Amino acid sequence: MHGRPRKAPKPEDEAASSAKAQKLRALQTQFFSFHHNKIYTKEAVELSAKLLEINPESYTAWNYRKLAVEHYLNLPDCNPDSIKSVLDDELRVVENALRQNFKSYGAWHHRKWVLSKGHSSIDNELRLLDKFQKADSRNFHAWNYRRFVAESMKRSEQDELKYTEDMIYANFSNYSAWHNRSVLLSALFDKKAEGFLLKEKVLPEEYEFIHQAIFTDPDDQSGWFYHLWLLDQTVTTDSPLLASSWPGHGSDVLLVGDRCYNGSAFSPFSALHSDSGSFPIVLYFNQPVRGVNSSTVTVECGFNKNEDLLWKPLSASNSQTARVWVAHLKVPSSDLHSTVEVSVGHTKGIISTRGFEYSHPSMLSFKVHVQPMERDSSQVSVAESISLREENFKVYGKQSEESIIDSFDQLIIKNGRETTASNWRFEALAKEIECFRELLSLVDCKIGKLTLARLLKAYDAMSYPFANKLVHSEEVLELYSDLMKLDRTHYQFYKDERSIVLLQKVTSSKGSLLQHCFQYKDSVSSAICGPICLRLNNLSLSRMGAFEKLLWVEMLDLSHNELQSIEGLEAMQLLSCLSLRNNKLRSLTALEPLRKLKLLRILDISYNQIGDHSIDTTRYVCSSPLSHSVGSELNRDETVTSDVALINNWEAFYIFKDFNLNQLDIVGNTIADEKFKSVLVKIMPKLKQLDGKLLD
């Protein structure tokens, strides 16, 4: 354990171990007899103490002693002196057990239980803790118990903060002391205690403090974790913010009935095809929130009552807390022109997971134009083949390009609430960036490069609304590329982070995003409303991000990447056509986010790795019927199916049963044999085309 080589046991050691095991078995046999017969005599209680001295991890013995204590305390002749005597005996037993194993969960828990009775002096506890922390200053059991003792003694956070400082100076590698320091400072910030009301006065001093540890030993990870906590405190706003929405403020939405709009009066960014005559309103917050409902979000329009709107969270865990919330607004075909006003947070109730209220009320206003159309017999059927291949796209002409650029400001990436960061945050980040560039000029430190990448990302994120570009994106991408080469153990983590930075760069400006926007070759006859397809193919993406800037996308090409997960894609509620061709999706459960995309009609998941692996590892990452997520919304009394083929393919059934696909490509996956394709046809009776072939 912990790098110690195994040694063959000596004969005398084996004999001693055997004798100890025999003694332990004899004690356990006698102890269990006392326990089962509820015998709490002095002899029985002393025997449990002997057992715990040999094996402090015997939870049953600790629970027995609790029952014995309660038995004595409830005796008629029990008095304050006898109560104190009984509880002091318990503290001695715990201390003896901790001498055998001072990391015993049961022993520390029992000591808390004894002191919570309120009859024992707590003054000795800090002295006892000093002994244990001298033996192992990083023992998190002792630090956890210290927090309990400090609270019981009403010892101030400031005093405890000074103690962590002393422990850190004694040993910079004391991770537990750094952690306790973050816990204490968080409590002081929340209380707005004197001297801790303003983070801008405290955090710069903490940065200076942590620099001493990091520059002393750059390879020790304890200080780096604390620095990551400081960075989070610097850049994270307490109150949640509305990062983006669709439709965007000031935009015109053209809702086309039965066929796509091909006029020029409206931007292709805002034209939406809808068979149901409704469209989604999407709210994207900068952190998970709860409480989004018709009381906290008011939608005013002439054709729909606010109370009729049902706001739903879009999260992988199906919880009532999420970054993304959606409601579907029904538009009557008779109401051809309407103005919709969305008021967010003017009534209290939207709360972050950290317990902070949404305190920046927002107002969004957009116009809705309905264009009902009857399908012309000359139009191509809905089942026409849509293929997101290179030859099917064309670059926009100059006139169309200018039109797109002119209307780009109506896209969601510019509609988030732009908050000005305090000067101290910029100054703190700039100073840290300079500091770690200096460190990396002296030593080649992997975690130093990772920290510098995080600092540069944070600086760009705060300055982006004003600079209108990500100044350090190239440097961050280079840092992650270096880390992928230097630290192969964490290769996938660095690659995922690099993918997110790359997507942020692509979506950061009109020019960079326009390079990835293409026109489908036959937009008039296409079943997709709007000619724009966002092509993010061949970028070596392993993870998706920047969703708050992609809410407007209807056609998305993610082919020829390295995606193993598409978590977060559920935010893109307008998606009608999606290509995930030639990626690394390993299972059907990895497709779960797509279940929330009600407008999705065309899906290409061909040439992935679905079926290659006998064990679905994503089942423990993505939700599934076994984790009570997929299928949890089903009525328990509902008879799902009696078809054996469907029962044997429950993953496919739960993933695809709610899809309303017209076209699906699944060829090139191990699972995609003829038997499985017949199962898909049963699950999705509306499917018109499978792997390029029309279905009967």
Side-chain angles (χ1 to χ4, degrees), residues 72-73 75 77-89:
Y72 283 118
L73 296 185
L75 291 176
D77 58 346
C78 187
N79 57 59
D81 290 338
S82 60
I83 292 174
K84 186 177 184 305
S85 176
V86 168
L87 295 178
D88 284 349
D89 283 343

Side-chain angles (χ1 to χ4, degrees), residues 360-372:
H360 300 280
S362 305
M363 177 69 77
L364 308 170
S365 178
F366 54 89
K367 294 180 180 179
V368 179
H369 306 266
V370 180
Q371 184 167 340

Side-chain angles (χ1 to χ4, degrees), residues 40-41 45 64-91 110 112-120:
Y40 303 118
T41 62
V45 174
Y64 168 81
R65 292 193 69 87
K66 289 182 178 67
L67 294 171
V69 169
E70 295 291 355
H71 170 77
Y72 283 118
L73 296 185
N74 290 325
L75 291 176
D77 58 346
C78 187
N79 57 59
D81 290 338
S82 60
I83 292 174
K84 186 177 184 305
S85 176
V86 168
L87 295 178
D88 284 349
D89 283 343
E90 292 304 301
L91 293 176
H110 194 71
K112 282 185 181 180
W113 180 82
V114 173
L115 289 176
S116 67
K117 290 291 181 182
H119 298 280
S120 305

